[in-house]
Amino acid sequence: MQTNYTPEEIEKLWGNIDKEVSITFYNGSRCWEWIAGYFDTGYGSIWAANKNRGAHRVSYELAFGEIQDGLFVLHRCDNRRCCNPAHLFLGTNKDNMEDRNKKGRMAYGERHGSRLHPDRMVRGEDHPQCKLSDEQIAEIRQRYASGKETQRDLAKMFGVGQSQIQRILKYESRA
Ligand SMILES: [Zn+2]
């Protein structure tokens, strides 16, 4: 199914991509760096069309249309936060694994991860349960306040434990 993003979500995507700042290139074109929160896997994270999505996947969909079920959006540039459609290609889980092995574990973390931009790492490095950005935390509080979702819904939606949601709502924890 083609995902339908709202104009606000698309605007949020572009607002969180910096096309000038990356030091990584592929085939002469610069990576489009995701500058907001990211998953602990290193992929940019955006709340769009009712769930947390990989920012590169949303960018891919906007450029090329729907992603078939079960397919992965892989990076030619090996920069997981890159959202440049020219650097992205579709593959199966097997392709994804092979690609990862080929490139090696060192590529992630050394060149693109928190070492380069520790300031951009989402809360959670110092708290093993946490993998939410400030933006997501704000969203959790907002959604709960609006009364549409229960704590349980939110935990499921954001892929965290209910106890973490409780802490966020009590403002005890930023993440
Ligand atoms: Zn790239």
Side-chain angles (χ1 to χ4, degrees), residues 31 77 79 82 87:
C31 285
C77 56
N79 175 0
C82 174
H87 296 188

Side-chain angles (χ1 to χ4, degrees), residues 39 47 50-52 129 131-132 135-171:
F39 293 110
W47 179 270
N50 298 316
K51 63 179 219 178
N52 266 320
Q129 281 179 294
K131 49 188 171 187
L132 298 169
E135 198 185 331
Q136 289 167 332
I137 288 163
E139 174 139 17
I140 288 170
R141 288 178 179 148
Q142 207 183 346
R143 281 178 170 267
Y144 189 72
S146 75
K148 271 179 275 177
E149 277 102 6
T150 64
Q151 293 187 5
R152 198 170 156 191
D153 293 337
L154 291 166
K156 223 164 125 187
M157 202 178 257
F158 285 84
V160 298
Q162 206 175 325
S163 59
Q164 194 178 341
I165 296 289
Q166 270 166 14
R167 275 198 305 280
I168 287 166
L169 295 174
K170 282 201 288 185
Y171 290 78

Side-chain angles (χ1 to χ4, degrees), residues 24 26 30-32 75 77 79 82-84 87:
T24 318
Y26 173 76
R30 193 186 289 274
C31 285
W32 294 2
H75 286 90
C77 56
N79 175 0
C82 174
C83 296
N84 186 339
H87 296 188

Side-chain angles (χ1 to χ4, degrees), residues 21-24 33 38 79 81 107 109-121:
V21 76
S22 185
I23 53 164
T24 318
E33 203 80 4
Y38 45 97
N79 175 0
R81 280 185 295 134
E110 290 295 331
R111 280 193 288 140
H112 311 300
S114 52
R115 279 167 194 258
L116 263 183
H117 300 293
D119 52 314
R120 289 191 204 145
M121 194 63 197

Side-chain angles (χ1 to χ4, degrees), residues 119-134:
D119 52 314
R120 289 191 204 145
M121 194 63 197
V122 296
R123 312 286 152 223
E125 279 294 278
D126 45 4
H127 199 301
Q129 281 179 294
C130 303
K131 49 188 171 187
L132 298 169
S133 66
D134 287 351

